Amino acid sequence: MALPSPDDRPSTTPSGRPRANFPGSGLAKGLAVTLRTMTRRSVTAQYPDAQPELPPRSRGVIALFEENCTVCMLCARECPDWCIYIDSHKETVPAAAPGGRERSRNVLDRFAIDFSLCMYCGICIEVCPFDALFWSPEFEYAETDILELTHERDKLREWMWTVPEPPALDPRAEEPKEIAAAHKAAEKAAAAQATAEAAAQQQEGPQ
C-alpha cells in the first residue's frame, strides 16, 4: 500500500480551517506555545514545607512485612541487581500432637536492600508469593554516604506503616478464588455439622 504524498493532503484541517502550507509554520506554532507558557504565572511547591501530593501507586521504597516472609528466597533470586540480602537459620518445631513428628522451619535473621543498586523494577514485589513486600511512597531517605543506603529489616518494617491501603475492589468483580474456596469449605463443614446434629437428634428421639 503506497503512502500518501504531502501534495495529497487535504487543504483544510478536520475542523474546517484552511491548512497553512507556508514554510516555517511549525516553528511559528512552537514559538506561540512557548510565549503562552512564559506569560503564565508559575506555581512552585515550597518543598519541604509543602509535601508533594504523590500518586497512590508511587514507587518510593520497598517495605517489608516480615511476619509473611517464609525465607523462600524468590525475591533475592529474581532481583536483576542482586541488591537483596537474606540470612536465615532453621529451627525445629515440636510435634503438635502426641505421636507426631517434629518439623523444621526457616527463621529470618536478616533482610536488607541496597537502594544504591536497586532500580525500582518491582520484580521482588511481584514474585513474592506471600505478600511480604510492598511499595511505599516514602522518598526522603537520602544519605551522605552511599554505604548507608543499605537498609536493614528494622527500617524496612518501619516503612510498612507508610504503605497506603489497597484500592477498593469493584463491587461487580468476581470473588477471589481463595475466598470462594474458603466460603465453600465453610459451607460444606456447616452442612456436615447440621447433618450430624440432625442424625443425633433422631437417635435420641426414640429413646
Side-chain angles (χ1 to χ4, degrees), residues 79-96:
C79 177
D81 290 334
W82 293 89
C83 64
I84 301 177
Y85 311 113
I86 300 176
D87 293 331
S88 66
H89 69 277
K90 288 186 178 293
E91 283 187 357
T92 301
V93 180

Side-chain angles (χ1 to χ4, degrees), residues 20 22-40:
F22 61 88
S25 59
L27 178 61
K29 292 178 181 178
L31 291 175
V33 173
T34 303
L35 291 174
R36 285 199 303 268
T37 306
M38 290 176 61
T39 55
R40 294 176 184 172

Side-chain angles (χ1 to χ4, degrees), residues 121-183:
C121 62
I123 293 178
C124 57
I125 297 175
E126 297 294 332
V127 300
C128 180
F130 301 105
D131 292 335
L133 297 174
F134 297 87
W135 277 120
S136 166
E138 181 66 33
F139 64 93
E140 297 177 320
Y141 59 99
E143 301 289 348
T144 57
D145 188 354
I146 193 173
L147 298 178
E148 296 180 0
L149 284 174
T150 300
H151 294 293
E152 302 291 335
R153 64 176 181 175
D154 294 337
K155 188 65 176 180
L156 302 180
R157 175 57 188 243
E158 182 181 341
W159 282 331
M160 190 66 204
W161 299 107
T162 64
V163 174
E165 295 183 1
L169 298 177
D170 189 343
R172 296 173 294 179
E174 295 182 0
E175 192 176 34
K177 295 181 180 179
E178 297 82 358
I179 298 179
H183 287 170

